[in-house]
Amino acid sequence: MRLRTQITVLGVGTAALVVVLSAIPIAVLLRNKAYDESQQRATYAAQSTADYMSAGRYDGAMLASYLQRLNDRVSTPVTVIEPHGRQVGAPLSAAARTAALRTPEPALGDDDADNLGQVSQPEKSRIDDGQVVQVFCQTGGGRARVVATAENDLTSATVRDQNLAVGAVALLLIALAWLAADLVGRRIARPLGLTADTANALSRGDLQARAPVSGPPEVARVADELNALAARIEELLTHERENAADLSHRLRTPLTAVRLSVEALPESPERSELESHVAGVERSLTQLIRAARRGDREGLHPSCDAAAVVRERVAFWRPLVEDQSRTCEVILPRSPALVRLVAHDLAGALDGLIENAVAHTPEGVPIAVRVTPSDSIDDGWAVEVLDQGPGIPHTAVERGRSDRGSSGLGLDIARSAAEASGGRLEIVSEDPWRGVRLLLGPAAAHPTT
């Protein structure tokens, strides 16, 4: 998971957790508050009706009109059960009527200083679909019951509306948390991504690449330190190239003088041997300078298609192979064989091995070049250069030794290339084929940002 995504998930998750932990008690408080307010409204409606009835004389029509106006304004229906049992006002459900009639009549009292009449304290009871608040009052015709009903449906609707409002606010807070976390993640991840791109460019050999110094101080410090490291690397590589060039100049001039002096000698076996030694020293010097400049040429992520390199070098050597009446068996994979080595070094190793196979076996002897998956290196590849000649003894892999009268430099170059890729060189002797197998490591995946 990308860093920016992780920061966003962390911010949104934390905000969601806080919202949920806060929303639960808020929902409980809103529910209790809604039911308490509904009960208080029912109590107030019942008490105000009881005060009206106990305050003076009225007839049935006046009471009915009063209750109609009251019920039109309040959400808790009020019903009056007169002393003789007649019901006026909002209709009562069977459960509410039963609960009201089961409530015993309390003693009447009047704490009102204006002495508006005798009323009881509110009596409260619960039913399946709500609450019933009942107040008794003394009228001219006897004791009447005032019943106010707080219905659960209305209260539940209020609670639902309030919860929807809370949910909308919670979603808004989570959205704001997501925006804030995404902004912070982008502010951190973007400079890090640019810094990684710069490091990748440096690994490919672009020594002029520099990371932009931006973002939080800690992130900006990473870019600043990488830029300082890049400058130091450029300085060291420049110094290395200067030393390599100086070494080449210092050694090639006396070697040229030695080679000219040897060529001036009369023809003799000693002259041929000296020429061979001088040529070997020149090749060794070339290989030394090439190795010194390997890091600048390859970068940190060398890669090439071994199959493509083999195809190219076989095509280069094919005219000579055909002139010597040889057959050349070439086995290549259908997909690219990516190895951790630059094409130039692999081509040099192949040239040396093919040259040995052609130069040190009789004309007409078949040769083979194969690229197959490696059995000993995970995701690696095996590149084999084989012939049906006498073969190479295992002691030939020792540096500078050869069974064929040469300096062994070709095997050294091949072995160095294999080891540079994280692999190794092996001598193959499997009738009728004999030769060399290069075990090459897989190309490293480039880092992604």
Side-chain angles (χ1 to χ4, degrees):
M1 185 182 294
R2 299 173 61 186
L3 175 61
R4 179 178 169 184
T5 304
Q6 292 179 358
I7 294 175
T8 303
V9 170
L10 178 62
V12 173
T14 303
L17 179 62
V18 172
V19 167
V20 169
L21 293 179
S22 302
I24 293 176
I26 289 176
V28 173
L29 289 174
L30 289 176
R31 181 182 182 279
N32 293 338
K33 182 175 180 293
Y35 278 96
D36 289 343
E37 289 179 349
S38 177
Q39 187 182 78
Q40 290 174 2
R41 288 193 298 269
T43 300
Y44 178 78
Q47 286 179 332
S48 61
T49 302
D51 289 339
Y52 167 76
M53 294 177 63
S54 63
R57 298 180 64 85
Y58 60 90
D59 55 23
M62 293 176 60
L63 179 60
S65 298
Y66 173 81
L67 291 176
Q68 184 177 357
R69 290 197 304 269
L70 178 64
N71 288 331
D72 289 341
R73 293 195 299 266
V74 299
S75 60
T76 53
V78 178
T79 305
V80 173
I81 302 177
E82 295 183 319
H84 49 77
R86 188 171 71 96
Q87 183 174 307
V88 184
L92 283 175
S93 65
R97 183 177 178 82
T98 301
L101 295 177
R102 284 181 179 177
T103 302
E105 297 183 5
L108 299 180
D110 186 10
D111 297 330
D112 193 343
D114 293 334
N115 196 23
L116 296 177
Q118 292 183 336
V119 296
S120 70
Q121 294 296 322
E123 301 290 336
K124 304 171 184 177
S125 58
R126 292 186 176 274
I127 57 176
D128 292 338
D129 57 353
Q131 300 181 78
V132 173
V133 178
Q134 188 172 192
V135 177
F136 293 85
C137 64
Q138 187 67 39
T139 66
R143 184 172 294 187
R145 298 170 181 261
V146 181
V147 182
T149 305
E151 298 176 354
N152 284 344
D153 290 342
L154 294 175
T155 306
S156 298
T158 301
V159 173
R160 183 177 61 252
D161 293 342
Q162 292 175 343
N163 286 337
L164 288 176
V166 172
V169 173
L171 291 177
L172 178 61
L173 291 177
I174 292 176
L176 292 176
W178 179 82
L179 291 175
D182 185 68
L183 180 62
V184 172
R186 183 183 306 174
R187 189 166 180 261
I188 294 176
R190 178 176 172 80
L192 287 177
L194 295 175
T195 302
D197 291 340
T198 302
N200 198 17
L202 290 171
S203 71
R204 294 194 301 267
D206 182 8
L207 300 182
Q208 302 301 318
R210 294 295 184 270
V213 181
S214 60
E218 294 82 359
V219 177
R221 182 182 176 188
V222 173
D224 194 37
E225 294 296 334
L226 177 63
N227 291 339
L229 178 62
R232 179 58 177 163
I233 291 174
E234 183 178 13
E235 178 184 346
L236 293 176
L237 289 179
T238 300
H239 184 66
E240 177 188 357
R241 285 192 292 267
E242 291 175 353
N243 286 341
D246 183 64
L247 176 65
S248 174
H249 176 73
R250 289 175 180 271
L251 294 182
R252 285 191 184 278
T253 299
L255 275 176
T256 301
V258 171
R259 180 169 54 81
L260 293 175
S261 299
V262 171
E263 291 176 353
L265 295 175
E267 291 288 344
S268 66
E270 289 78 8
R271 172 185 166 177
S272 298
E273 184 177 358
L274 286 175
E275 288 178 340
S276 175
H277 290 324
V278 171
V281 172
E282 287 182 335
R283 288 196 299 269
S284 298
L285 176 61
T286 300
Q287 183 67 14
L288 176 63
I289 296 175
R290 181 181 300 170
R293 294 177 176 176
R294 181 187 303 274
D296 188 30
R297 183 175 66 252
E298 294 181 355
L300 295 180
H301 304 289
S303 176
C304 74
D305 181 2
V309 175
V310 167
R311 189 180 297 110
E312 177 189 356
R313 301 322 298 165
V314 168
F316 174 81
W317 288 95
R318 189 174 294 279
L320 177 61
V321 171
E322 293 176 351
D323 286 345
Q324 295 185 356
S325 302
R326 300 174 185 267
T327 60
C328 182
E329 175 185 297
V330 180
I331 298 178
L332 301 176
R334 294 183 178 180
S335 59
L338 299 179
V339 296
R340 191 167 65 242
L341 196 66
V342 293
H344 184 276
D345 287 348
L346 180 57
L350 287 171
D351 286 343
L353 295 178
I354 295 175
E355 181 183 8
N356 285 342
V358 171
H360 300 291
T361 59
E363 294 188 7
V365 173
I367 64 174
V369 184
R370 305 170 181 172
V371 179
T372 57
S374 173
D375 295 331
S376 56
I377 299 179
D378 292 340
D379 299 325
W381 294 88
V383 178
E384 298 175 333
V385 178
L386 310 173
D387 59 60
Q388 294 185 7
I392 303 174
H394 289 276
T395 56
V397 297
E398 298 178 15
R399 185 176 300 274
R401 296 189 58 179
S402 173
D403 65 320
R404 293 169 171 176
S406 67
S407 65
L409 186 61
L411 285 179
D412 282 345
I413 294 174
R415 179 178 56 213
S416 299
E419 292 175 352
S421 73
R424 61 184 181 276
L425 180 147
E426 294 180 349
I427 301 299
V428 179
S429 181
E430 302 171 355
D431 287 335
W433 297 104
R434 299 172 181 84
V436 175
R437 177 185 297 124
L438 301 180
L439 298 177
L440 306 178
H446 284 245
T448 58
T449 59

